[in-house]
Amino acid sequence: MFRTTIQIETHGEGEIVNITPQIEQAVAGSGVQDGLANVFVGGSTAAVTTIEYEPGVLSDLRRALSVIAPADIPYAHDAAWGDGNGRSHVRAAIVGPSLSVPVIGGALACGTWQQVVLLELDVRSSRHRTVHVTVLG
């Protein structure tokens, strides 16, 4: 087992950060040839997933999340805490905080157009995010 962390500064709701190169570095540093790379973001207003890191589909993802948890409806969380990020929590819960990617031949087994991304879903103007990467093999 090999574990490392990635530190990422984000700059607002809707930012999508391609973290594939950092995950690939972790896999290379692990020495694992065949196994799994688990990626987990700490915090309840961010998420990780895979997607084609292309402007059109990134825009489509942002739009889809805004339809699923719109900004212009009341959230019980906002009433309780007053921080206005109820939608952020809902969006993050739907996408999820972690994913596992197979490692085959010492490399991530992502498809040709598939990248690992961090979704910043919080309404704050910037956040410091810690992504934990665990490589098992």
Side-chain angles (χ1 to χ4, degrees), residues 60-120:
D60 294 339
L61 177 60
R62 286 183 196 97
R63 182 178 45 76
L65 290 172
S66 73
V67 169
I68 291 167
D72 61 350
I73 65 170
Y75 291 89
H77 174 82
D78 296 344
W81 296 97
D83 54 6
N85 69 352
R87 69 181 182 264
S88 307
H89 289 281
V90 172
R91 292 173 185 179
I94 289 168
V95 177
S98 68
L99 66 96
S100 293
V101 180
V103 174
I104 301 173
L108 289 176
C110 289
T112 302
W113 305 109
Q114 185 178 34
Q115 287 80 43
V116 179
V117 295
L118 168 76
L119 307 178
E120 180 54 73

Coordinates of all heavy atoms in Angstrom, one line a residue, residues 60-120:
D60 N -21.6 21.2 -19.5 CA -22.8 20.4 -19.4 C -22.9 19.8 -18.0 O -24.0 19.8 -17.4 CB -22.7 19.2 -20.4 CG -22.8 19.7 -21.9 OD1 -23.3 20.8 -22.1 OD2 -22.4 18.9 -22.7
L61 N -21.8 19.4 -17.4 CA -21.8 18.9 -16.0 C -22.3 20.0 -15.0 O -23.1 19.7 -14.2 CB -20.5 18.3 -15.6 CG -20.4 17.8 -14.2 CD1 -21.4 16.7 -13.9 CD2 -18.9 17.4 -13.9
R62 N -21.7 21.2 -15.2 CA -22.1 22.3 -14.3 C -23.6 22.6 -14.4 O -24.3 22.8 -13.4 CB -21.3 23.6 -14.6 CG -19.9 23.5 -14.2 CD -19.2 24.9 -14.5 NE -17.8 24.8 -14.4 CZ -17.0 24.6 -15.5 NH1 -17.5 24.5 -16.7 NH2 -15.7 24.4 -15.3
R63 N -24.1 22.6 -15.6 CA -25.5 22.8 -15.9 C -26.4 21.7 -15.3 O -27.4 22.0 -14.6 CB -25.8 23.0 -17.4 CG -27.3 23.3 -17.7 CD -27.5 23.5 -19.2 NE -26.9 22.5 -20.0 CZ -27.4 21.2 -20.2 NH1 -28.5 20.8 -19.6 NH2 -26.8 20.4 -21.0
A64 N -26.0 20.5 -15.5 CA -26.8 19.4 -14.9 C -26.8 19.5 -13.4 O -27.9 19.2 -12.8 CB -26.1 18.0 -15.4
L65 N -25.7 19.8 -12.8 CA -25.7 19.9 -11.3 C -26.6 21.1 -10.8 O -27.3 21.0 -9.8 CB -24.3 20.0 -10.7 CG -23.5 18.7 -10.9 CD1 -22.0 19.0 -10.5 CD2 -24.0 17.6 -10.0
S66 N -26.6 22.1 -11.6 CA -27.5 23.3 -11.3 C -29.0 23.0 -11.4 O -29.8 23.6 -10.8 CB -27.1 24.5 -12.0 OG -27.5 24.4 -13.4
V67 N -29.3 22.0 -12.3 CA -30.7 21.6 -12.4 C -31.1 20.7 -11.3 O -32.2 20.8 -10.7 CB -30.9 20.9 -13.8 CG1 -32.2 20.2 -13.9 CG2 -30.7 21.9 -14.9
I68 N -30.1 19.8 -10.9 CA -30.4 18.8 -9.9 C -30.6 19.5 -8.5 O -31.4 19.2 -7.7 CB -29.3 17.7 -9.8 CG1 -29.3 16.9 -11.1 CG2 -29.4 16.9 -8.5 CD1 -28.1 16.0 -11.3
A69 N -29.7 20.4 -8.2 CA -29.7 21.2 -7.0 C -29.6 22.7 -7.3 O -28.5 23.2 -7.2 CB -28.6 20.7 -6.0
P70 N -30.7 23.3 -7.7 CA -30.6 24.7 -8.1 C -30.2 25.7 -7.0 O -30.5 25.4 -5.8 CB -32.0 25.0 -8.7 CG -32.9 23.8 -8.3 CD -32.0 22.8 -7.8
A71 N -29.7 26.8 -7.4 CA -29.3 27.9 -6.5 C -30.5 28.6 -5.9 O -30.4 29.2 -4.9 CB -28.3 28.8 -7.1
D72 N -31.6 28.7 -6.6 CA -32.7 29.6 -6.3 C -33.9 28.9 -5.6 O -35.0 29.4 -5.6 CB -33.2 30.2 -7.6 CG -33.8 29.2 -8.6 OD1 -33.6 28.0 -8.4 OD2 -34.4 29.7 -9.6
I73 N -33.6 27.8 -4.8 CA -34.6 27.2 -4.0 C -34.1 27.2 -2.6 O -32.9 27.2 -2.3 CB -35.0 25.8 -4.5 CG1 -33.8 24.8 -4.3 CG2 -35.6 25.8 -5.9 CD1 -34.2 23.4 -4.5
P74 N -35.0 27.2 -1.6 CA -34.6 27.1 -0.2 C -34.1 25.7 0.2 O -34.5 24.7 -0.3 CB -35.9 27.4 0.6 CG -37.0 27.2 -0.3 CD -36.5 27.3 -1.7
Y75 N -33.0 25.8 1.0 CA -32.4 24.5 1.6 C -32.5 24.6 3.1 O -32.2 25.7 3.7 CB -31.0 24.4 1.1 CG -30.9 24.1 -0.3 CD1 -30.8 25.1 -1.3 CD2 -30.9 22.8 -0.8 CE1 -30.7 24.8 -2.6 CE2 -30.8 22.5 -2.2 CZ -30.7 23.5 -3.1 OH -30.6 23.2 -4.4
A76 N -32.9 23.5 3.7 CA -33.0 23.5 5.2 C -31.6 23.8 5.8 O -31.5 24.4 6.9 CB -33.5 22.1 5.7
H77 N -30.5 23.3 5.2 CA -29.2 23.6 5.7 C -28.9 25.1 5.8 O -28.4 25.5 6.8 CB -28.1 22.9 4.8 CG -26.7 23.2 5.1 ND1 -26.1 22.6 6.1 CD2 -25.9 24.2 4.6 CE1 -24.8 23.1 6.2 NE2 -24.7 24.1 5.3
D78 N -29.3 25.8 4.8 CA -29.1 27.3 4.8 C -29.9 27.9 5.9 O -29.4 28.8 6.6 CB -29.5 27.9 3.5 CG -28.7 27.4 2.3 OD1 -27.6 26.8 2.5 OD2 -29.1 27.6 1.1
A79 N -31.1 27.4 6.2 CA -31.9 28.0 7.3 C -31.3 27.7 8.6 O -31.3 28.5 9.5 CB -33.3 27.4 7.2
A80 N -30.6 26.5 8.7 CA -30.0 26.2 10.0 C -28.7 26.9 10.2 O -28.4 27.3 11.3 CB -29.8 24.6 10.0
W81 N -27.9 27.0 9.2 CA -26.5 27.5 9.3 C -26.3 28.9 8.7 O -25.3 29.6 9.0 CB -25.5 26.5 8.7 CG -25.5 25.2 9.5 CD1 -26.2 24.1 9.1 CD2 -24.9 25.0 10.7 NE1 -26.0 23.1 10.1 CE2 -25.2 23.6 11.0 CE3 -24.1 25.7 11.5 CZ2 -24.8 23.0 12.2 CZ3 -23.6 25.1 12.7 CH2 -23.9 23.8 13.0
G82 N -27.1 29.3 7.8 CA -27.0 30.7 7.2 C -25.8 30.8 6.3 O -25.4 32.0 6.0
D83 N -25.2 29.8 5.8 CA -24.0 29.9 5.0 C -24.3 29.8 3.5 O -23.3 30.0 2.7 CB -22.9 28.9 5.4 CG -23.4 27.5 5.4 OD1 -24.5 27.2 5.0 OD2 -22.6 26.6 5.9
G84 N -25.5 29.5 3.1 CA -25.9 29.6 1.7 C -25.3 28.5 0.8 O -25.4 28.6 -0.4
N85 N -24.8 27.4 1.5 CA -24.2 26.4 0.6 C -24.9 25.0 0.7 O -24.3 24.0 0.5 CB -22.7 26.2 0.9 CG -22.4 25.6 2.3 OD1 -23.3 25.4 3.1 ND2 -21.2 25.3 2.5
G86 N -26.2 25.1 1.0 CA -27.0 23.9 1.0 C -26.9 23.1 -0.3 O -26.8 21.9 -0.3
R87 N -27.0 23.9 -1.4 CA -26.9 23.2 -2.7 C -25.5 22.6 -2.9 O -25.4 21.5 -3.6 CB -27.2 24.2 -3.8 CG -26.1 25.3 -4.0 CD -26.5 26.3 -5.1 NE -25.5 27.3 -5.4 CZ -25.5 28.5 -4.8 NH1 -26.5 28.8 -4.0 NH2 -24.6 29.4 -5.1
S88 N -24.5 23.1 -2.3 CA -23.1 22.6 -2.4 C -23.1 21.2 -1.8 O -22.5 20.3 -2.4 CB -22.1 23.5 -1.8 OG -22.2 24.8 -2.2
H89 N -23.7 21.1 -0.6 CA -23.7 19.8 0.1 C -24.5 18.7 -0.7 O -24.0 17.6 -0.8 CB -24.3 20.0 1.5 CG -23.4 20.7 2.4 ND1 -22.3 20.1 3.1 CD2 -23.5 22.0 2.8 CE1 -21.8 21.0 3.8 NE2 -22.4 22.2 3.7
V90 N -25.6 19.1 -1.3 CA -26.4 18.2 -2.0 C -25.7 17.7 -3.3 O -25.6 16.5 -3.6 CB -27.8 18.8 -2.4 CG1 -28.6 18.0 -3.3 CG2 -28.6 19.1 -1.1
R91 N -25.1 18.7 -4.0 CA -24.4 18.3 -5.2 C -23.2 17.4 -4.9 O -23.0 16.4 -5.6 CB -23.9 19.6 -5.9 CG -25.0 20.4 -6.5 CD -24.5 21.7 -7.0 NE -25.6 22.6 -7.5 CZ -25.4 23.8 -8.0 NH1 -24.2 24.3 -8.1 NH2 -26.5 24.5 -8.3
A92 N -22.5 17.7 -3.9 CA -21.3 16.9 -3.5 C -21.8 15.5 -3.1 O -21.1 14.5 -3.4 CB -20.5 17.5 -2.4
A93 N -22.9 15.4 -2.4 CA -23.4 14.0 -2.0 C -23.8 13.2 -3.2 O -23.6 12.0 -3.2 CB -24.5 14.2 -1.0
I94 N -24.4 13.8 -4.2 CA -24.8 13.1 -5.4 C -23.6 12.6 -6.2 O -23.6 11.4 -6.6 CB -25.7 14.0 -6.2 CG1 -27.1 14.2 -5.5 CG2 -25.9 13.4 -7.6 CD1 -27.9 15.3 -6.1
V95 N -22.6 13.4 -6.3 CA -21.4 13.0 -7.1 C -20.6 12.0 -6.3 O -20.1 11.0 -6.8 CB -20.6 14.2 -7.6 CG1 -19.3 13.7 -8.4 CG2 -21.5 15.1 -8.5
G96 N -20.3 12.4 -5.0 CA -19.5 11.5 -4.1 C -18.1 12.0 -3.9 O -17.5 12.7 -4.8
P97 N -17.5 11.6 -2.7 CA -16.2 12.1 -2.4 C -15.1 11.2 -2.8 O -13.9 11.5 -2.6 CB -16.3 12.1 -0.8 CG -17.2 10.9 -0.6 CD -18.2 11.0 -1.6
S98 N -15.4 10.0 -3.4 CA -14.3 9.1 -3.7 C -14.6 8.3 -5.0 O -15.7 8.2 -5.4 CB -14.0 8.2 -2.6 OG -15.1 7.3 -2.4
L99 N -13.5 7.7 -5.5 CA -13.6 6.8 -6.6 C -12.4 5.9 -6.6 O -11.3 6.3 -6.1 CB -13.8 7.5 -8.0 CG -12.7 8.3 -8.5 CD1 -11.8 7.5 -9.5 CD2 -13.2 9.5 -9.2
S100 N -12.5 4.8 -7.2 CA -11.4 3.8 -7.4 C -11.2 3.6 -8.9 O -12.1 3.4 -9.6 CB -11.6 2.5 -6.7 OG -11.7 2.7 -5.3
V101 N -9.9 3.6 -9.3 CA -9.5 3.4 -10.7 C -8.5 2.2 -10.7 O -7.6 2.2 -9.9 CB -8.8 4.6 -11.3 CG1 -8.4 4.4 -12.7 CG2 -9.7 5.9 -11.1
P102 N -8.8 1.2 -11.5 CA -7.8 0.1 -11.6 C -6.4 0.6 -12.1 O -6.3 1.5 -12.9 CB -8.4 -0.8 -12.7 CG -9.9 -0.4 -12.8 CD -9.9 1.0 -12.4
V103 N -5.4 -0.1 -11.5 CA -4.1 0.2 -12.0 C -3.6 -1.1 -12.7 O -3.7 -2.2 -12.1 CB -3.1 0.4 -10.8 CG1 -1.7 0.5 -11.2 CG2 -3.5 1.7 -10.0
I104 N -3.3 -1.0 -13.9 CA -2.9 -2.1 -14.8 C -1.5 -1.8 -15.4 O -1.4 -0.8 -16.1 CB -3.9 -2.4 -15.8 CG1 -5.3 -2.7 -15.2 CG2 -3.5 -3.6 -16.7 CD1 -6.4 -2.9 -16.1
G105 N -0.6 -2.6 -15.2 CA 0.8 -2.4 -15.8 C 1.4 -1.1 -15.3 O 2.2 -0.5 -16.0
G106 N 1.1 -0.8 -14.1 CA 1.7 0.4 -13.5 C 1.1 1.7 -13.9 O 1.7 2.8 -13.6
A107 N -0.1 1.7 -14.5 CA -0.7 2.9 -15.0 C -2.2 2.9 -14.7 O -2.8 1.8 -14.6 CB -0.5 3.1 -16.5
L108 N -2.8 4.1 -14.6 CA -4.2 4.2 -14.4 C -4.9 3.6 -15.6 O -4.5 3.8 -16.8 CB -4.7 5.6 -14.2 CG -4.3 6.3 -13.0 CD1 -4.8 7.8 -13.0 CD2 -4.9 5.7 -11.8
A109 N -6.0 2.8 -15.4 CA -6.7 2.2 -16.5 C -7.9 3.1 -17.0 O -9.0 2.6 -17.2 CB -7.2 0.8 -16.1
C110 N -7.6 4.4 -17.1 CA -8.6 5.3 -17.6 C -8.7 5.1 -19.1 O -7.8 4.8 -19.8 CB -8.2 6.7 -17.3 SG -8.3 7.2 -15.6
G111 N -9.9 5.4 -19.6 CA -10.1 5.4 -21.1 C -9.4 6.6 -21.7 O -8.9 7.5 -21.1
T112 N -9.3 6.6 -23.0 CA -8.6 7.6 -23.8 C -9.0 9.0 -23.4 O -8.1 9.9 -23.3 CB -8.8 7.3 -25.3 OG1 -8.3 6.0 -25.6 CG2 -8.0 8.3 -26.1
W113 N -10.3 9.2 -23.3 CA -10.8 10.6 -23.1 C -11.3 10.7 -21.6 O -12.2 11.6 -21.4 CB -11.9 10.9 -24.1 CG -11.4 10.8 -25.5 CD1 -11.8 9.8 -26.3 CD2 -10.4 11.5 -26.1 NE1 -11.1 10.0 -27.5 CE2 -10.3 11.0 -27.4 CE3 -9.6 12.6 -25.8 CZ2 -9.4 11.5 -28.3 CZ3 -8.7 13.1 -26.7 CH2 -8.6 12.6 -27.9
Q114 N -10.8 10.0 -20.7 CA -11.3 9.9 -19.3 C -10.3 10.5 -18.4 O -9.2 9.9 -18.3 CB -11.7 8.5 -19.0 CG -12.4 8.4 -17.6 CD -12.7 6.9 -17.4 OE1 -12.0 6.0 -17.8 NE2 -13.8 6.7 -16.7
Q115 N -10.6 11.5 -17.7 CA -9.7 12.1 -16.7 C -10.4 12.1 -15.3 O -11.6 12.1 -15.2 CB -9.3 13.6 -17.0 CG -8.4 13.7 -18.2 CD -9.1 13.5 -19.6 OE1 -10.1 14.1 -19.8 NE2 -8.5 12.8 -20.5
V116 N -9.5 12.1 -14.3 CA -10.0 12.2 -12.9 C -10.0 13.7 -12.5 O -9.1 14.4 -12.7 CB -9.1 11.5 -11.9 CG1 -9.6 11.6 -10.5 CG2 -8.9 10.0 -12.3
V117 N -11.2 14.1 -12.0 CA -11.4 15.6 -11.7 C -11.9 15.8 -10.3 O -12.6 14.9 -9.7 CB -12.3 16.2 -12.7 CG1 -11.7 16.2 -14.1 CG2 -13.7 15.6 -12.7
L118 N -11.5 16.9 -9.8 CA -12.0 17.4 -8.5 C -13.1 18.5 -8.9 O -12.8 19.4 -9.6 CB -10.9 18.1 -7.7 CG -11.4 18.9 -6.5 CD1 -11.8 18.0 -5.3 CD2 -10.3 19.8 -6.0
L119 N -14.3 18.4 -8.3 CA -15.3 19.4 -8.4 C -15.4 20.3 -7.2 O -15.6 19.8 -6.1 CB -16.7 18.7 -8.6 CG -16.8 17.6 -9.7 CD1 -18.2 17.1 -9.7 CD2 -16.4 18.2 -11.1
E120 N -15.2 21.5 -7.4 CA -15.4 22.5 -6.3 C -16.8 22.9 -6.4 O -17.3 23.5 -7.3 CB -14.5 23.7 -6.4 CG -14.6 24.7 -5.3 CD -14.5 24.1 -3.9 OE1 -13.4 23.7 -3.5 OE2 -15.6 23.9 -3.2

